Structure formats: structure tokens, C-alpha cells
Amino acid sequence: MNIFTRLGEFLLMLKGMFTKPENWRMYWKELMHQCVELGIGSMGIVAIISVFIGAVSTVQTSYQFVSSIIPRSVIAQIVRDSVILEFAPTITCVVLAGVVGSKISSELGNMRVSEQIDALEIMGINTKAYLVLPKIVAGIIMVPFLVVLAMVLGIWGGRFVGDISNILPHELYDKGLHDTFVPYNVTFALIKSYTFAFIITAIPAYFGYNVKGGALEIGRASTTAVVTSCIIILLADYVLAQVLL
Amino acid sequence: MITIKDIEKGFIDKTVIDGVSSTFETGKCNLIIGASGSGKTVLMKCLVGLITPDAGQISYDGEDFTSMDEKQKKIMRRKIGMLFQGSALFDSMDVAQNVMFPLHMFSNMTLGEKRKRVEEVLDRVNLNGAHKKFPAEISGGMKKRVGIARAIVLNPQYLFCDEPNSGLDPQTSLVIDKLIKEITEEFNITTVVNTHDMNSVMEIGDRIMYMYQGKKEWEGSNKEIIFNNSDKLNGFIFASEFLKDAKDMRMLEIKGKIDNNRDMEELLK
Ligand SMILES: Nc1ncnc2c1ncn2[C@@H]1O[C@H](COP(=O)(O)OP(=O)(O)O)[C@@H](O)[C@H]1O
Ligand SMILES: [Mg+2]
């Protein structure tokens, strides 16, 4: 199947999501369930990754820092900006594309192959609306939270490591954090995270929802879904940086 | 009563359903039989609208299903229950939740009423004490029962069963078949069953349609099927040499009886 057919199918799936819910309460329940699954379920991995990214950033920035004319508090600024601008949104979302994306894709793929989707359709439920939409909305609600969490923990990780490995004391680090802070960077990161949230939920949902065949195809669809969403995240990352910075 | 007329369905490279017409009667078990790959599942999915046929008409008690838009189809589907080949239970829900799901989605009952209804249908399919079990923890036969319970919980007028016996031993199959027949008669439902199991055919086949490579090859009742004169159907029913021999012997026996009777009658004259 060529890329245009796929794109067409993808857009049709998105269009098909918007019908009046058969029962608002059940949709709400499903949305809450997905928020917990996607959001709370990914907090652990996001926390671990972001602390380490912040820590490593501090160590490596300090290593590259040869001049003694520039105050060491600049390390904190560099860590802050790279975490906020790139590491927290992009790396978190690439990781989430793996964690959340494969989950969404294999869940839907399994439901397709075992005819659970047909079973819902036969009851008169729009499965695009009931199964796909809540996942995308949950992603758009929860991913920005995770990204903010990653920012905070990333910066904290840098501060912590600065202290314990004598790179710079946290008083200096804190001072650096306050210097030339650009609030727009946070806005930009949030715009990125909304975009990525859509990518890492909608694309795997598309691949999972349209699985044909058996267990083997579910695995294949997951892989394709994760790879595709990662590539599109990086593309979108570049485009957004070009357009918005 | 469901009437289908000249249903056709093809996939990219081949025709799967080739001009099938038939009638499925209310209060009866209408069977679609045929070898694997003969198009039973595709035909059934056309009937319920999971697949759109390329041509032909489907009408449910006079209402033309094929020309309905999505919204009308959705309403129509509230009157349809379906048991899928692999049961298609929701993995993430236990037995009671599976059966309760359609009620949650479509009824205005209170939780108490819903619980009562779930109890009722699970009782009806003779499944007690498995409420809290998950699909992965129950046997194939139990899954089918839960599937049936879920399909009938909203009191459908039409029930579709795709290979209700697949993967079951002959005894369990018989129990499921009988259950489907009882439910059909009890609630006067129009039931359509896909099967390739001759035991079910003989047990519950009020009306039988035999499919061969996407075409309707034969139609009749379980009383007529043994004496049909379609080579293809006989090839399907009496697949083994053993059965063929058994049939021939039975035919001789019956013939003998008839002859004997005739002799008797002649003697009595
Ligand atoms: N979605 C599909 N795409 C292409 N071919 C299909 C599809 N579904 C079924 N077929 C083909 O249609 C034929 C009939 O299938 P099916 O109705 O499942 O047979 P069965 O009588 O065993 O239920 C098979 O040859 C199958 O390969
Ligand atoms: Mg089949």
C-alpha cells in the first residue's frame, strides 16, 4: 500500500471519530481509563529518563567548558535551556512513542484480530470514536504533563549531580537558572508536546486499528507504528523549530 | 425473517460470494454450511453490515438494510446479537462485565436492574459462578456461553452465530447447539448459524443452506439433507469412506424395509 493510500485511510479514521457518543458516561469512563493508563503508567519511565538526562547534561556541559572567564553558573543555563527546548519534549516523546505507541497499537491490533472490534461494531458502537478518540485525547491531556514533569526532574537531576560531583554548588546552579530565562521556551516546548502527543497516539492507533491477519501482524504493526511515529516526531521537531524559533 | 437477494462480494483478486439469495425464518435455526473458505463468514458479515456487499439486497422483516445510512444501521444493530468464531470477549473485562457492557452502553437501567439482567442471562446459558473470571481463565465452551449471553442480553430479534462449535469437543458442541436452538424458539428470534459441523446440522438445522465456493449449492431441512442429490453436498457430508459406506448401508437397509413392507402389503392383500 502506498503512502498516499495510507494517509487517506488515516485521515478517514480521524474523520470517523467524530460522531455523537452512544453513551457519554461510558466514553468519559474510557477517557479517564486511558488517561491513567497513558499518563500515570508512563510517569516512572519518564522520571528515570529525565533525571539522567539532566545529570548527564550537567556533566557533559562542564566537560566542554574550558574557559575560566565564563561564570560556571552558565552551565545551569545551558542545562535548563537544552532540557526545556529539546530533551524534555523530544526525548520523552520518542520514548513514549515506544512505550505508549506499542501499547496502543498492540491493544487495538489484538482487538481487531480477535474480532472484539467487530463485536463492538455489531452492538452499534462507533469503534473509532469509542476506542481511538479517547486514546488521542488522553495523550493530548497527559503528555504535556509528562513533559513538564520531565523538565522539572531534568533540571533537578542536573542540580543534584552538580552538587554531588563538585561541578558547581546548587547556589550557583540556582542563580544560573534565573539568568536570562525565556518563558517562550516553555510555551514552545508545550506546543511541541501537544503535537507529539497526537503523533504518538494517532499513528499507532491507525496501525493497530487496521491490522489484518493474526498475532504475527500485530507485532509487525507495533513495530511499524513505533518506527513511523519516531520518524514523524523528529520531522515535526525540525519543522516546529524552523517555524517557531 | 431476513431475506437476501443476489448478494455478491469480492476481494481484490477473487469473488467470495457469488449471487446468493435466501430467506432466514423467524423462530428457526437457519444454518449456513460449507467447507472452510466457502464464504460463510463473509456472507454473515455482509448480513450484519460488518462488510458491505458489492451488490444485492438484505432486508430485515421488510426493512431494507442495504440502503440504510450509518445512523439507521446503528439503530438496526441494537436488534442484532452476534456470537463470533473466537467468542470475541473483551479481554480486559471479567465475565459479568462482558455481559453487562451492552447494558451500560445502551440501557437506562439502574445498576441493580443491570445486575439482575446479567444474572438472568448467565443463568439462561447455564453459567453460574464464573462472574468474576476473566476470558483468559475460562474454557472454550464457557467463552461461547458468555458470548451468547452477551449477544442476547439486550433481547435481540436476530441472532448470528459464526461457527459456535469451532474448537469444542462434540459433547460441548451439542450443548451449545441445543442452547442456541432453545433460545431461538423461546424468544422467537431469527437465528443464523454458520457451521461445518454435521452434528449441529442434524441437531438444529431447521433450514440449511449449503455454500460451495461462494455459491448456494443446496437448500433444505435436516430431514431432507441425507437424501439430497447434490454430489458436492454429499461430498461435504460424507467426507470419509467410512461415512460413505455407512450411508450406503443405511440406504440399503431402508430400501430393504420399504421392499419388505411392500412384500408384507402384497401378502396381506
Ligand atoms: N478481508 C478479506 N480480504 C481478502 N480475502 C478475504 C477476506 N476475508 C475473507 N477472504 C477470503 O474469502 C474466502 C471465504 O472466507 P470465509 O468467509 O472466512 O470462509 P469460511 O466459510 O471458512 O468462513 C476465503 O478464501 C478468504 O481467504
Ligand atoms: Mg468462517
Side-chain angles (χ1 to χ4, degrees), chain A residues 212, chain B residues 9-17 32-45 51 85 162-163 194-196 211 214:
Chain A
K212 288 189 180 70
Chain B
K9 178 70 194 177
F11 293 103
I12 310 146
D13 49 345
K14 59 174 182 262
T15 310
V16 175
I17 305 294
I32 302 172
I33 65 171
S36 275
S38 55
K40 305 183 294 294
T41 301
V42 173
L43 181 61
M44 185 170 273
K45 289 193 172 170
I51 294 178
Q85 189 161 352
D162 192 5
E163 309 252 2
N194 272 355
T195 184
H196 56 237
M211 299 263 300

Short mmCIF file of all heavy atoms in Angstrom, two decimals, chain A residues 212, chain B residues 9-17 32-45 51 85 162-163 194-196 211 214, ligand 1:
data_model
loop_
_atom_site.label_atom_id
_atom_site.label_comp_id
_atom_site.label_asym_id
_atom_site.label_seq_id
_atom_site.Cartn_x
_atom_site.Cartn_y
_atom_site.Cartn_z
N LYS A 212 -4.55 -6.60 9.78
CA LYS A 212 -5.26 -7.72 9.16
C LYS A 212 -4.41 -8.95 9.37
O LYS A 212 -3.20 -8.89 9.21
CB LYS A 212 -5.43 -7.47 7.66
CG LYS A 212 -6.45 -6.40 7.37
CD LYS A 212 -6.78 -6.32 5.88
CE LYS A 212 -7.80 -5.24 5.63
NZ LYS A 212 -7.23 -3.88 5.84
N LYS B 9 -19.95 -10.45 -3.26
CA LYS B 9 -18.83 -9.78 -2.61
C LYS B 9 -17.53 -10.35 -3.14
O LYS B 9 -17.34 -11.57 -3.19
CB LYS B 9 -18.91 -9.96 -1.09
CG LYS B 9 -17.76 -9.33 -0.34
CD LYS B 9 -17.82 -7.82 -0.37
CE LYS B 9 -16.52 -7.19 0.07
NZ LYS B 9 -16.54 -5.72 -0.02
N GLY B 10 -16.65 -9.46 -3.55
CA GLY B 10 -15.35 -9.91 -4.00
C GLY B 10 -14.26 -9.14 -3.27
O GLY B 10 -14.50 -8.03 -2.79
N PHE B 11 -13.10 -9.75 -3.13
CA PHE B 11 -11.94 -9.02 -2.66
C PHE B 11 -11.00 -8.87 -3.85
O PHE B 11 -11.18 -9.58 -4.85
CB PHE B 11 -11.28 -9.74 -1.49
CG PHE B 11 -12.15 -9.76 -0.26
CD1 PHE B 11 -12.84 -10.91 0.09
CD2 PHE B 11 -12.32 -8.61 0.49
CE1 PHE B 11 -13.67 -10.92 1.22
CE2 PHE B 11 -13.14 -8.62 1.60
CZ PHE B 11 -13.82 -9.77 1.97
N ILE B 12 -10.05 -8.00 -3.69
CA ILE B 12 -9.19 -7.57 -4.80
C ILE B 12 -9.09 -8.57 -5.96
O ILE B 12 -9.40 -8.26 -7.09
CB ILE B 12 -7.77 -7.22 -4.29
CG1 ILE B 12 -7.87 -6.26 -3.11
CG2 ILE B 12 -6.93 -6.60 -5.40
CD1 ILE B 12 -6.81 -6.45 -2.06
N ASP B 13 -8.69 -9.81 -5.62
CA ASP B 13 -8.38 -10.73 -6.71
C ASP B 13 -9.42 -11.83 -6.93
O ASP B 13 -9.31 -12.60 -7.86
CB ASP B 13 -7.01 -11.36 -6.45
CG ASP B 13 -6.90 -11.88 -5.04
OD1 ASP B 13 -7.75 -11.53 -4.20
OD2 ASP B 13 -5.99 -12.66 -4.75
N LYS B 14 -10.43 -11.93 -6.04
CA LYS B 14 -11.35 -13.05 -6.25
C LYS B 14 -12.77 -12.76 -5.75
O LYS B 14 -12.98 -11.90 -4.89
CB LYS B 14 -10.81 -14.30 -5.55
CG LYS B 14 -10.60 -14.12 -4.07
CD LYS B 14 -10.20 -15.44 -3.43
CE LYS B 14 -10.03 -15.29 -1.94
NZ LYS B 14 -8.70 -15.10 -1.47
N THR B 15 -13.72 -13.48 -6.35
CA THR B 15 -15.11 -13.39 -5.90
C THR B 15 -15.29 -14.36 -4.75
O THR B 15 -14.90 -15.52 -4.84
CB THR B 15 -16.06 -13.80 -7.03
OG1 THR B 15 -15.67 -13.07 -8.19
CG2 THR B 15 -17.49 -13.49 -6.68
N VAL B 16 -15.84 -13.88 -3.65
CA VAL B 16 -16.01 -14.74 -2.48
C VAL B 16 -17.47 -15.15 -2.31
O VAL B 16 -17.79 -16.29 -1.98
CB VAL B 16 -15.48 -14.05 -1.21
CG1 VAL B 16 -15.76 -14.90 0.01
CG2 VAL B 16 -13.98 -13.79 -1.34
N ILE B 17 -18.39 -14.21 -2.54
CA ILE B 17 -19.82 -14.51 -2.51
C ILE B 17 -20.36 -14.21 -3.91
O ILE B 17 -20.18 -13.11 -4.43
CB ILE B 17 -20.56 -13.65 -1.48
CG1 ILE B 17 -19.95 -13.78 -0.09
CG2 ILE B 17 -22.04 -14.04 -1.44
CD1 ILE B 17 -20.07 -15.12 0.54
N ILE B 32 -26.01 -21.95 7.72
CA ILE B 32 -25.22 -21.80 6.51
C ILE B 32 -24.07 -22.78 6.68
O ILE B 32 -23.28 -22.64 7.61
CB ILE B 32 -24.68 -20.37 6.35
CG1 ILE B 32 -25.83 -19.36 6.32
CG2 ILE B 32 -23.84 -20.26 5.08
CD1 ILE B 32 -25.36 -17.91 6.36
N ILE B 33 -24.02 -23.79 5.82
CA ILE B 33 -22.95 -24.77 5.98
C ILE B 33 -22.05 -24.75 4.75
O ILE B 33 -22.41 -24.23 3.70
CB ILE B 33 -23.48 -26.20 6.23
CG1 ILE B 33 -24.25 -26.72 5.01
CG2 ILE B 33 -24.38 -26.22 7.45
CD1 ILE B 33 -24.61 -28.20 5.11
N GLY B 34 -20.87 -25.30 4.92
CA GLY B 34 -19.93 -25.33 3.81
C GLY B 34 -18.52 -25.53 4.33
O GLY B 34 -18.26 -25.34 5.52
N ALA B 35 -17.64 -25.92 3.43
CA ALA B 35 -16.25 -26.16 3.82
C ALA B 35 -15.59 -24.85 4.24
O ALA B 35 -16.12 -23.77 3.96
CB ALA B 35 -15.50 -26.78 2.65
N SER B 36 -14.44 -24.94 4.90
CA SER B 36 -13.66 -23.75 5.25
C SER B 36 -13.34 -22.99 3.97
O SER B 36 -12.94 -23.59 2.99
CB SER B 36 -12.36 -24.16 5.91
OG SER B 36 -12.54 -24.35 7.25
N GLY B 37 -13.53 -21.69 4.02
CA GLY B 37 -13.17 -20.88 2.86
C GLY B 37 -14.29 -20.78 1.83
O GLY B 37 -14.12 -20.15 0.79
N SER B 38 -15.46 -21.36 2.14
CA SER B 38 -16.54 -21.30 1.16
C SER B 38 -17.28 -19.96 1.21
O SER B 38 -18.15 -19.70 0.39
CB SER B 38 -17.52 -22.45 1.39
OG SER B 38 -17.99 -22.44 2.72
N GLY B 39 -16.96 -19.15 2.19
CA GLY B 39 -17.53 -17.80 2.23
C GLY B 39 -18.60 -17.60 3.29
O GLY B 39 -19.31 -16.59 3.27
N LYS B 40 -18.70 -18.52 4.24
CA LYS B 40 -19.74 -18.41 5.27
C LYS B 40 -19.58 -17.15 6.11
O LYS B 40 -20.54 -16.40 6.31
CB LYS B 40 -19.70 -19.64 6.20
CG LYS B 40 -19.81 -20.96 5.51
CD LYS B 40 -19.84 -22.11 6.50
CE LYS B 40 -18.56 -22.32 7.29
NZ LYS B 40 -17.42 -22.74 6.46
N THR B 41 -18.35 -16.94 6.60
CA THR B 41 -18.13 -15.79 7.47
C THR B 41 -18.35 -14.48 6.72
O THR B 41 -18.99 -13.56 7.23
CB THR B 41 -16.71 -15.82 8.06
OG1 THR B 41 -16.56 -17.03 8.79
CG2 THR B 41 -16.45 -14.64 8.96
N VAL B 42 -17.84 -14.42 5.49
CA VAL B 42 -18.02 -13.20 4.71
C VAL B 42 -19.50 -12.93 4.48
O VAL B 42 -19.98 -11.81 4.65
CB VAL B 42 -17.26 -13.29 3.37
CG1 VAL B 42 -17.59 -12.10 2.48
CG2 VAL B 42 -15.76 -13.35 3.61
N LEU B 43 -20.26 -13.98 4.17
CA LEU B 43 -21.70 -13.80 3.95
C LEU B 43 -22.37 -13.29 5.23
O LEU B 43 -23.17 -12.35 5.20
CB LEU B 43 -22.35 -15.13 3.52
CG LEU B 43 -23.85 -15.06 3.25
CD1 LEU B 43 -24.16 -14.07 2.12
CD2 LEU B 43 -24.42 -16.44 2.90
N MET B 44 -22.00 -13.89 6.37
CA MET B 44 -22.61 -13.46 7.62
C MET B 44 -22.25 -12.01 7.94
O MET B 44 -23.09 -11.23 8.38
CB MET B 44 -22.17 -14.38 8.76
CG MET B 44 -22.86 -14.06 10.07
SD MET B 44 -22.57 -15.29 11.33
CE MET B 44 -23.87 -16.46 10.99
N LYS B 45 -20.99 -11.65 7.69
CA LYS B 45 -20.58 -10.27 7.95
C LYS B 45 -21.28 -9.29 7.02
O LYS B 45 -21.53 -8.14 7.38
CB LYS B 45 -19.06 -10.13 7.89
CG LYS B 45 -18.40 -10.81 9.09
CD LYS B 45 -16.95 -10.46 9.29
CE LYS B 45 -16.48 -11.04 10.62
NZ LYS B 45 -15.04 -10.94 10.79
N ILE B 51 -19.34 -6.06 6.68
CA ILE B 51 -18.76 -5.96 5.35
C ILE B 51 -19.87 -5.45 4.43
O ILE B 51 -21.01 -5.87 4.57
CB ILE B 51 -18.27 -7.34 4.86
CG1 ILE B 51 -17.11 -7.85 5.71
CG2 ILE B 51 -17.85 -7.28 3.39
CD1 ILE B 51 -16.60 -9.23 5.31
N GLN B 85 -16.70 -16.28 16.06
CA GLN B 85 -16.00 -17.56 15.99
C GLN B 85 -15.07 -17.78 17.20
O GLN B 85 -15.06 -18.81 17.81
CB GLN B 85 -15.23 -17.66 14.68
CG GLN B 85 -14.66 -19.03 14.43
CD GLN B 85 -14.31 -19.24 12.96
OE1 GLN B 85 -14.61 -18.42 12.10
NE2 GLN B 85 -13.67 -20.34 12.68
N ASP B 162 -21.31 -17.37 14.39
CA ASP B 162 -20.30 -17.81 13.44
C ASP B 162 -19.53 -18.98 14.04
O ASP B 162 -18.79 -18.80 15.01
CB ASP B 162 -19.34 -16.64 13.12
CG ASP B 162 -18.45 -16.97 11.93
OD1 ASP B 162 -18.65 -18.03 11.31
OD2 ASP B 162 -17.56 -16.15 11.63
N GLU B 163 -19.74 -20.14 13.49
CA GLU B 163 -19.07 -21.35 13.96
C GLU B 163 -19.11 -21.48 15.48
O GLU B 163 -18.07 -21.47 16.14
CB GLU B 163 -17.60 -21.37 13.51
CG GLU B 163 -17.42 -21.10 12.04
CD GLU B 163 -17.02 -22.32 11.24
OE1 GLU B 163 -16.90 -23.40 11.82
OE2 GLU B 163 -16.85 -22.19 10.02
N ASN B 194 -23.52 -20.25 11.24
CA ASN B 194 -22.51 -20.77 10.30
C ASN B 194 -21.91 -22.01 10.92
O ASN B 194 -21.51 -21.98 12.08
CB ASN B 194 -21.34 -19.79 10.19
CG ASN B 194 -21.58 -18.77 9.13
OD1 ASN B 194 -22.56 -18.84 8.42
ND2 ASN B 194 -20.67 -17.82 9.03
N THR B 195 -21.80 -23.06 10.17
CA THR B 195 -21.14 -24.22 10.75
C THR B 195 -20.61 -25.15 9.67
O THR B 195 -21.06 -25.10 8.53
CB THR B 195 -22.10 -25.00 11.68
OG1 THR B 195 -21.38 -26.06 12.31
CG2 THR B 195 -23.27 -25.58 10.92
N HIS B 196 -19.63 -25.96 10.04
CA HIS B 196 -19.26 -27.04 9.12
C HIS B 196 -19.37 -28.37 9.85
O HIS B 196 -18.84 -29.38 9.43
CB HIS B 196 -17.86 -26.83 8.53
CG HIS B 196 -16.79 -26.67 9.55
ND1 HIS B 196 -15.97 -25.58 9.62
CD2 HIS B 196 -16.42 -27.47 10.57
CE1 HIS B 196 -15.14 -25.73 10.63
NE2 HIS B 196 -15.39 -26.86 11.22
N MET B 211 -23.21 -23.84 1.08
CA MET B 211 -22.41 -22.95 0.23
C MET B 211 -21.24 -23.74 -0.36
O MET B 211 -20.57 -24.49 0.35
CB MET B 211 -21.80 -21.81 1.04
CG MET B 211 -22.80 -20.92 1.72
SD MET B 211 -23.13 -19.45 0.76
CE MET B 211 -21.54 -18.71 0.66
N GLY B 214 -18.61 -20.00 -2.63
CA GLY B 214 -19.30 -18.72 -2.76
C GLY B 214 -20.67 -18.76 -3.39
O GLY B 214 -21.34 -17.74 -3.51
N1 LIG C 1 -10.81 -9.34 4.18
C1 LIG C 1 -10.56 -10.25 3.23
N2 LIG C 1 -9.74 -9.96 2.21
C2 LIG C 1 -9.48 -10.85 1.24
N3 LIG C 1 -9.99 -12.10 1.20
C3 LIG C 1 -10.82 -12.47 2.18
C4 LIG C 1 -11.14 -11.56 3.27
N4 LIG C 1 -11.99 -12.20 4.11
C5 LIG C 1 -12.18 -13.43 3.59
N5 LIG C 1 -11.48 -13.60 2.45
C6 LIG C 1 -11.46 -14.80 1.62
O1 LIG C 1 -12.79 -15.20 1.37
C7 LIG C 1 -12.91 -16.58 1.37
C8 LIG C 1 -14.03 -17.01 2.27
O2 LIG C 1 -13.66 -16.76 3.60
P1 LIG C 1 -14.61 -17.07 4.82
O3 LIG C 1 -15.93 -16.45 4.59
O4 LIG C 1 -13.88 -16.65 6.04
O5 LIG C 1 -14.74 -18.64 4.77
P2 LIG C 1 -15.46 -19.58 5.83
O6 LIG C 1 -16.52 -20.25 5.03
O7 LIG C 1 -14.42 -20.54 6.27
O8 LIG C 1 -15.98 -18.75 6.92
C9 LIG C 1 -11.57 -17.14 1.76
O9 LIG C 1 -10.93 -17.61 0.60
C10 LIG C 1 -10.83 -15.97 2.33
O10 LIG C 1 -9.47 -16.06 2.03
#
